[in-house]
Amino acid sequence: MKPVHQTILHAPRGNCFSACLASLLEVGCDDVPNIHDFGDEWFYPLNKWLLETHRLVLLMITASTYRSALWLPDEVPFIATCDVGGGWRHAVVMTYRGMEAIVLHDPLPEGGANQSGPVYMYFLVKP
């Protein structure tokens, strides 16, 4: 993973998710689409773009599902969207060590966004 900072800092078009994806792909933030450009149904077109450009897709899991039914090896990096209040979510790169979520990279240039644990977890996988 190569840490990349977001370039659009404010909702509703912040590109924290794009910066996290760029970090995992080890490319620049401008090389990854902003999910807000796809609208509310961003998951499918982003996966289509990932498949065409990187031969990868995102697998989305709710964090509550992970805690109850899945086992993942430690140190696998993933994008986590976390509640930050006011109905907004912020994306960071996380990993699990045991059942503890660890932030590997916060794409905010100043870092340290006030957030809860992951709500959704996005893993890059080969189809």
Side-chain angles (χ1 to χ4, degrees):
M1 180 194 69
K2 175 183 134 188
V4 174
H5 288 105
Q6 66 188 95
T7 57
I8 303 171
L9 302 177
H10 303 288
R13 292 201 33 85
N15 64 347
C16 56
F17 194 96
S18 297
C20 290
L21 186 53
S23 297
L24 294 178
L25 294 171
E26 298 188 345
V27 299
C29 196
D30 291 338
D31 297 324
V32 176
N34 187 331
I35 62 172
H36 300 293
D37 292 339
F38 296 127
D40 290 341
E41 301 297 323
W42 60 269
F43 193 71
Y44 175 77
L46 181 63
N47 265 324
K48 185 174 184 233
W49 175 85
L50 271 168
L51 187 59
E52 291 171 355
T53 59
H54 295 280
R55 303 299 306 156
L56 297 166
V57 294
L58 284 173
L59 170 67
M60 180 181 74
I61 301 171
T62 61
S64 60
T65 299
Y66 168 70
R67 283 189 208 97
S68 65
L70 296 174
W71 176 85
L72 298 168
D74 287 353
E75 307 301 327
V76 174
F78 61 91
I79 299 170
T81 54
C82 305
D83 284 329
V84 293
W88 296 103
R89 291 203 177 110
H90 177 60
V92 296
V93 178
M94 284 187 155
T95 192
Y96 272 98
R97 292 183 188 138
M99 293 302 286
E100 182 181 359
I102 307 293
V103 175
L104 296 177
H105 173 59
D106 185 335
L108 277 173
E110 67 274 6
N114 184 20
Q115 63 208 17
S116 67
V119 176
Y120 294 102
M121 304 173 352
Y122 300 87
F123 294 87
L124 280 172
V125 298
K126 290 186 179 193

